[in-house]
Structure formats: structure tokens, C-alpha cells
Amino acid sequence: MTDAVKKKAVVLLSGGLDSATVLAMAQANGYSCYTLSFDYGQRHRAELDAAKRLAASAGVVEHKVIGLDLDGMGGSALTDDSLAVPESLQQGIPITYVPARNTVFLALALGWAEVLEAQDIFIGVNAVDYSGYPDCRPAFIEAFERVANLATKAGVEGKGFRILAPLQDMTKGEIVAEGSRLGIDYALTVSCYQADALGRACGRCDSCRLRAAGFSAAGVADATVYQPSSNAD
């Protein structure tokens, strides 16, 4: 299939393990991919460098970074330096939840998709091995797809959108296994909520624990680069 006839897709690319896997899956399914990242005031900004590396490695058509001021609202340990990132399991929705983040991200991805005349938007949310964020659930993805087709010129004119979340029902181990099968170099990715400027992981936050468990379950060597002070093996 040539680039001229490939279906276009916008892929949300955070720079982490899940979004890297989704990008590889989209390309394996014949999509011409346009990747989108957000500089939203996150403390773990090394993920933006990781996203650029992944986009370049994958040879995407275009990689775009959009700036947002979600840190101006606060309310999350990922955007507010006064709130500590938890290093132990928490009950309920954790303080690392960023209010309405995926709603905002998908809305902007939808706008770009409409400009590109792309009908498919990929997002790496997961509702199995995850932190319990409400905007990662299947019900949210289904609801946003309905909104996308009600709120856009393309949707009204019958060129509707699909919000594709291929990792939705996969365990982290299954995700790592699939990404490894597709040839992803997970050393290029950054998942840690408090990665240092070099992208090295703390090994203690919720994201690090889920990631390490995924490599272990898949029987794949952990490609994560950890900080010297990390207690990870």
C-alpha cells in the first residue's frame, strides 16, 4: 500500500509505553500516522522528548506538539509542584489524575483530524492495568466518539470519526508483548511521573510499577532506564 492511498490517522503520542505501542499498531494496520503530543505543564517533561524520538523512529508523516496551560489550573500532582507524586498504592482516583485531560486532548486531536480529513483517532488508554482514571474507561471513549460525530462539520456531512483504543482491554503484559512483537524499542519511551531531565525513571510511582509489572508478565527484559537513586532492580 503506498502512502498516497493509506488511510490517515491522528495518534495521541505521550512518549510512554502505551502510546508507542498504539502508534506501532496503527502503522501495522496500514495507517499513515500524524502524531500529536501536548506540552501541558506536566512535571515529567522528558516524555515530550521521548515522543519526538518515537515519532522520528517510526517515520510518521508529521509530529505536532500543542502547548496548553493545564498547570495553571492545578489539581494534579502531575502539574502542581506543591503536590507530591504518590509512591505507594492509593485508594480511589489518585492525585495524579489530571482534570479532564483526555477530554481536552481528544478534542484537539479531533480538530486536527478534521483538518487532515482523517477519520480515525488513536489513543492509548487502558482499563485493565491502569491507575483508575475515569477518562480511560470504555464508556468515556464511546461517549466522546458520539460527541465527535455530533460536533463537527465532517460528522454532520457523514464523514464520521472513530476513536480507536486498541489497548483498552489488554493487560500491561499483553501490551508489552505486542509492542515487542512489532519491534518497538521501549528504551526510547518515558512513562515515569517524576522522570528526571534525562528521562530516567524513579521506579517508585504508580506508572513505574505498572510498567515494570508489564515487562515481567511478558517475560521481556525491562528496557527502562532508572535513576541512580531508584530502588528498581
Side-chain angles (χ1 to χ4, degrees), residues 61-172:
V61 180
E62 183 178 356
H63 177 63
K64 187 182 292 290
V65 180
I66 292 179
L68 299 170
D69 187 21
L70 298 188
D71 55 325
M73 295 188 296
S76 170
L78 299 192
T79 58
D80 187 339
D81 289 338
S82 70
L83 300 174
V85 172
E87 295 185 352
S88 60
L89 292 175
Q90 306 292 303
Q91 294 296 316
I93 298 171
I95 192 65
T96 50
Y97 163 70
V98 180
R101 178 175 60 180
N102 283 344
T103 306
V104 173
F105 288 1
L106 279 172
L108 292 168
L110 175 62
W112 196 25
E114 189 166 27
V115 170
L116 294 170
E117 297 184 346
Q119 292 181 272
D120 294 326
I121 299 169
F122 283 83
I123 183 171
V125 293
N126 175 264
V128 179
D129 292 334
Y130 78 128
S131 298
Y133 301 153
D135 54 1
C136 289
R137 298 173 300 160
F140 166 72
I141 298 300
E142 293 164 6
F144 191 91
E145 183 174 281
R146 291 196 299 272
V147 168
N149 288 301
L150 286 169
T152 56
K153 179 177 182 288
V156 169
E157 293 179 347
K159 299 176 182 178
F161 296 94
R162 294 192 302 169
I163 310 299
L164 302 173
L167 310 185
Q168 193 97 74
D169 301 317
M170 296 171 68
T171 67
K172 194 67 77 175

Side-chain angles (χ1 to χ4, degrees), residues 1-9 29-34 118 120 162:
M1 184 182 293
T2 65
D3 287 341
V5 297
K6 279 185 177 181
K7 296 180 293 183
K8 294 179 181 179
N29 280 286
Y31 283 92
S32 180
C33 294
Y34 296 74
D120 294 326
R162 294 192 302 169

Side-chain angles (χ1 to χ4, degrees), residues 140-221:
F140 166 72
I141 298 300
E142 293 164 6
F144 191 91
E145 183 174 281
R146 291 196 299 272
V147 168
N149 288 301
L150 286 169
T152 56
K153 179 177 182 288
V156 169
E157 293 179 347
K159 299 176 182 178
F161 296 94
R162 294 192 302 169
I163 310 299
L164 302 173
L167 310 185
Q168 193 97 74
D169 301 317
M170 296 171 68
T171 67
K172 194 67 77 175
E174 289 169 340
I175 293 168
V176 171
E178 177 64 8
S180 297
R181 184 186 71 80
L182 292 170
I184 297 173
D185 180 2
Y186 282 124
L188 296 176
T189 67
V190 173
S191 301
C192 179
Y193 289 154
Q194 45 191 359
D196 65 15
L198 298 177
R200 298 178 298 184
C202 73
R204 299 181 299 276
C205 69
D206 195 31
S207 185
C208 279
R209 288 194 300 271
L210 288 168
R211 179 181 168 113
F215 281 111
S216 178
V220 173

